[in-house]
Amino acid sequence: MTRKILALLMAAMLCLGCVCGALAEAAPVAADDGWYLDTAVTLADKMSALANSQAYVELFIGLEVDTDTFVAQMNALSGLEPSEIITYLYKTDALENLAKAYQMDEVTTALSKPAMEAVYRRMNNSLGSLLNGYVGGNLWQSIASALSYTETYLMPDDFVPCSLLLRYDGQEAAVLVSFSQTGEDTITATATYVRADVPEDEVAQTYLNLLWERVE
């Protein structure tokens, strides 16, 4: 049973992590201390443009689904400045922690180095989808996945895989932007809407503590 649970969890993380709203060609980036936040805010704005397009939402979700309430929560962030930024660093032993939690240590030893690196990249980029899957509910997850926005950049100096959670005063939605190395010299940043109360959610905390480290 534990093997099946671990397999399902891994499959969910790897599959969800591949969903994106758009993909841009690699572009030069400045490797300064503010690059992560500047990029996160830029992607949040681009994602807001998708949320503001009812036709776009209907194209991915369908006309028969009532998306108004959820999209309104996401639209409310348009033009706002984040009031709080929470940074999560991806743990280098995340996969080992996951396997150990399900008493399946042999899973990690069976993976080759290229396979392990591929898993790490996908797991880091899947944080938004993972949280939505366990906290947001099916419809929230579907809408957030449809509106997620992805861009690829040349890798800055001293790049660190991480995720930035942008929260806004009085808003039910927040924006999570995950940064992960996806090529020899490139990284991918993925912006996803998540529930603003995710850091306080008990279920979310289980996965955040297992795989990511919050930077205070």
Side-chain angles (χ1 to χ4, degrees):
M1 180 61 70
T2 55
R3 181 182 295 274
K4 183 176 181 180
I5 292 173
L6 178 59
L8 290 174
L9 179 59
M10 288 297 299
M13 294 177 69
L14 298 184
C15 291
L16 291 173
C18 297
V19 179
C20 61
L23 179 62
E25 294 183 358
V29 299
D32 57 32
D33 291 339
W35 180 81
Y36 294 96
L37 179 57
D38 291 343
T39 302
V41 171
T42 298
L43 293 185
D45 290 340
K46 291 184 177 182
M47 193 166 58
S48 291
L50 300 181
N52 283 324
S53 173
Q54 183 64 30
Y56 183 90
V57 175
E58 292 175 349
L59 177 65
F60 282 91
I61 305 300
L63 295 172
E64 73 283 356
V65 180
D66 183 10
T67 62
D68 292 348
T69 300
F70 298 99
V71 174
Q73 294 176 10
M74 301 172 187
N75 278 338
L77 307 187
S78 182
L80 298 181
E81 293 291 331
S83 56
E84 181 183 16
I85 296 95
I86 301 175
T87 301
Y88 294 97
L89 296 180
Y90 179 66
K91 295 180 179 179
T92 56
D93 58 351
L95 184 56
E96 288 87 345
N97 290 341
L98 181 62
K100 186 178 297 183
Y102 287 93
Q103 299 179 342
M104 295 293 296
D105 293 351
E106 70 272 18
V107 171
T108 57
T109 59
L111 290 173
S112 63
K113 183 178 179 180
M116 182 75 80
E117 291 175 351
V119 170
Y120 279 140
R121 291 173 182 176
R122 293 194 181 200
M123 287 176 69
N124 185 58
N125 242 13
S126 70
L127 179 56
S129 296
L130 178 67
L131 295 177
N132 282 329
Y134 284 93
V135 179
N138 291 336
L139 187 53
W140 176 279
Q141 179 184 352
S142 297
I143 296 172
S145 294
L147 296 176
S148 64
Y149 195 96
T150 299
E151 286 198 0
T152 298
Y153 305 88
L154 293 178
M155 186 165 59
D157 293 336
D158 302 319
F159 170 72
V160 177
C162 62
S163 293
L164 268 59
L165 178 65
L166 312 182
R167 298 210 284 189
Y168 306 79
D169 278 338
Q171 301 301 319
E172 297 180 67
V175 173
L176 184 79
V177 182
S178 295
F179 299 86
S180 181
Q181 182 177 355
T182 49
E184 184 176 350
D185 298 310
T186 58
I187 66 167
T188 296
T190 301
T192 310
Y193 286 111
V194 296
R195 298 282 190 186
D197 60 355
V198 156
E200 290 77 40
D201 184 88
E202 185 175 348
V203 175
Q205 280 297 321
T206 300
Y207 298 101
L208 285 171
N209 293 339
L210 191 64
L211 306 175
W212 284 269
E213 177 182 0
R214 178 169 173 168
V215 178
E216 300 295 345

